[in-house]
Amino acid sequence: VNVDNSREQIALERHSPPRLIIRNSQSRILRTGNATVRRVSVFGLGYVGLATALCLANKGHLVTGIDSDERRVRQLDQGIAPFFEPKIESYLKRAIDEEYFRVTNDSSSNAESDLAYVCVGTPTKHGGGIDLSFIESAAEDIGISLRKREAYQLIVIKSTVTPGTASNVVRPILERESGKTCPTGFGLCSNPEFLREGHAIQDTEVPDRIIIGSADMNAATKLERFYSEYYGAGLAPVIMTRHENAELIKYANNAFLATKVSFINTIANIAERIPGADVTTVAKAIGLDKRIAPEFLRAGIGFGGSCLPKDLSALMAFGEEVGYNTRLLAEVQAVNREQISKPITYLKHKLNTLKGKKIAILGLAFKPETDDLREAPSISIINDLVKEEAQVTVYDPRAEMIAKSIFGSQIAYATSARESLRAANGAVLVTEWEEFTHLTPQDFLELMEDPIVFDGRRLLEPGRMREAKLQFDAIGLGRESFPVAKY
Ligand SMILES: NC(=O)c1ccc[n+]([C@@H]2O[C@H](COP(=O)([O-])OP(=O)(O)OC[C@H]3O[C@@H](n4cnc5c(N)ncnc54)[C@H](O)[C@@H]3O)[C@@H](O)[C@H]2O)c1
C-alpha cells in the first residue's frame, strides 16, 4: 500500500495481501481498500473544482480545497454548498465528516500534495478573449508553495484555457515562482473538464472520455495511471496528446454544441413559418441519425450558462488572434442572440405595448437542475421587459436568491408557478424545469388575465394548449394558419 506523507489519522495496517485501512482522528475505520491514496489540492471550488474535489474524496483520497473567496471557504467548511447542484451537498457533508476533505484559503497547504488541480474561473474579458488573471494567480500560489516541497508534484489544469496557455503562461509562472524546472521539479498536464452543470457529480464519476495534454510523457502517464486506478474497469477512453490539442479540444467541443443549438433553432425558425410543422418532430428524426445524435437538438430561446457563450467568444477571439475569421461561429452567436430576443418580440406583437402589462416568467436558471444565472437568457429577457416598463413576476424553483441579488425590487418573486401566473397578461416559459410540465391549460386560463403563453423551451404539449383555446405559441411550432406573425 502506497500512502505518501501519511497523516496522523491514517493508519496503515499490513495484511496479506496488503490492505489499506483509513481511520479518522477518533480511530474509527472510515474506509478500507487496496488503492493508492493521494494527497490532492484543488484550486478553485466552483462547479468544476468542488465536483472534482468531492469525487476524489469520495474515493478515499485526502483532498484540500483551496479557494481565494473567504466566504466560500467558511460556507464549505460548515458543509454548506455555495450553489445548488444535485448530490453536492450530501457528498460535501460526508467528505467533511469523514475528514477526507478540508477547505482553506491558505495556498501554502498545497506543499503537502502529490497532485494539484487548477479549477479557477476563466471569465470573458473585453473583446471576447479570456481573462487569465485567476489562472495566473493560482499558478503563482502553486509555484510559491512548491519552493518548500522537495518531492515532485503533478499540476493539472482543468480550467478552460485557450491553446498555448499551459506552455506559455502557466509553466513559466510555475518555474519562476517555484525555482524548479518542468518536467523534473514538477509535472504539468492539461485535463479539460466537460461536466454539465446539473450533472456535475455524475459526469465527474462517469465521464465520456478523458483528455490529457502534456509536453511530457512521464507526467501524462502518471495522470493516466491515476485515472486508471480511480475509474478501474469503468475507465473512459483516454486521449493523450499535446497541451495545445487538449486546450483546443475543449473549445471545439463547446463550439460544436453551440453550433448544434443554433442549427436546430434555425430549423425552428423555418418550421414556425410552415402551418402544422413542429421542430420537435424534425429534431427527433434527425437525432436518430447516428452521425447527428439526439443531444443538443432541443430548439429554444438560446443557450446560456457559464460555458457555451464564453467559450464561443473565446474561440472567436483566439481565431482572430491567429489570423482566422471564425465566421461560422459569428453566425452561431448571432442566431443565439436573436432567439433570446424572441419572447419580447412575441409579447409586443400580442399585447401591442408592454408598458404596465403583467408578465410571468417561468424559470430563470440557464437550464434545469441548477441555480446558475450566468449568461442565462432570462436576464436579458427580464432586463428588456423592465425597460419596456412591464410588471414582471418570476418563479424559479432554485434561482430566486441569485435573481434577487441581480434584480432586487425591480421585479416580483412568486413562490410557485401558479402564483406567478395570477392576473398576468402574458407568460413565457424560459427554463424547462420538470415541475412546469404539470401546468395544465386550465391553470393558464383560470389564473391569467390574458392567457397568452409562449413556450420558449418546448416543454408544454402544444395540442392540449391550443385545444383549450389558449393563445399559445412555442419555438419551432408552425402557426395554425397563414399569414405568419412577423416576430
Ligand atoms: N461550470 C461548468 O459547467 C464548467 C464545465 C467545464 C469547464 N468549466 C471551466 O472550468 C473552470 C472553472 O469553472 P467553474 O464554473 O467551476 O468556476 P466558478 O466561477 O464557479 O468557480 C471558480 C472558483 O475559483 C475561485 N478562485 C479564483 N481565483 C482563485 C485562486 N487564485 N485561487 C483559488 N481559488 C480561486 C473562485 O473564488 C471560485 O470559487 C472555468 O475555466 C470554466 O470555463 C466549467
Side-chain angles (χ1 to χ4, degrees), residues 44 46-48 67-68 72 122 137 160 193 197 307 310 374:
Y47 292 84
V48 170
D67 201 290
S68 50
R72 182 158 288 201
T122 46
S137 76
T160 303
E193 178 56 59
E197 281 179 29
C307 289
K310 165 173 89 80
R374 289 179 286 184

Side-chain angles (χ1 to χ4, degrees), residues 42-50 66-70 72 82-83 104 107 118-123 133-139 141 158-161 192-198 200 250-251 254 306-307 310-311 366-367 372 374:
V42 178
F43 281 76
L45 299 170
Y47 292 84
V48 170
L50 194 55
I66 299 164
D67 201 290
S68 50
D69 178 346
E70 281 183 36
R72 182 158 288 201
F83 41 79
T104 177
S107 55
V118 179
C119 305
V120 299
T122 46
S133 57
F134 299 120
I135 290 280
E136 287 163 354
S137 76
D141 289 344
K158 267 203 172 291
S159 300
T160 303
V161 291
E193 178 56 59
F194 300 92
L195 66 76
R196 298 161 299 166
E197 281 179 29
K250 172 66 193 176
Y251 283 102
N254 274 358
S306 69
C307 289
K310 165 173 89 80
D311 294 351
F366 85 95
K367 67 172 183 178
D372 199 345
R374 289 179 286 184

Side-chain angles (χ1 to χ4, degrees), residues 117 152 154-159 161 163-167 170-171 182 187-194 209-224 227 238-250:
Y117 278 99
Y152 177 94
L154 180 58
I155 297 146
V156 180
I157 306 170
K158 267 203 172 291
S159 300
V161 291
T165 305
S167 306
V170 177
R171 178 179 163 166
C182 181
L188 183 61
C189 289
S190 299
N191 176 215
E193 178 56 59
F194 300 92
R209 73 299 208 197
I210 294 169
I211 310 298
I212 299 176
S214 191
D216 159 31
M217 202 53 195
N218 178 42
T221 309
K222 276 187 196 306
L223 189 59
E224 198 232 348
Y227 285 135
V238 179
I239 293 192
M240 285 160 89
T241 181
R242 302 166 62 93
H243 281 297
E244 290 73 14
N245 282 337
E247 292 163 329
L248 186 56
I249 285 166
K250 172 66 193 176

Side-chain angles (χ1 to χ4, degrees), residues 42 64 89 138 143 161 167 199 203 244 255 261 304 330 335-336 350 367 382 397 405 410 420 429 476:
V42 178
T64 304
E89 201 127 303
V161 291
S167 306
H199 300 82
D203 290 349
E244 290 73 14
V261 175
V335 168
N336 199 55
K350 288 282 183 189
K367 67 172 183 178
I382 293 170
S405 70
Q410 284 182 298
S420 74
L429 194 150

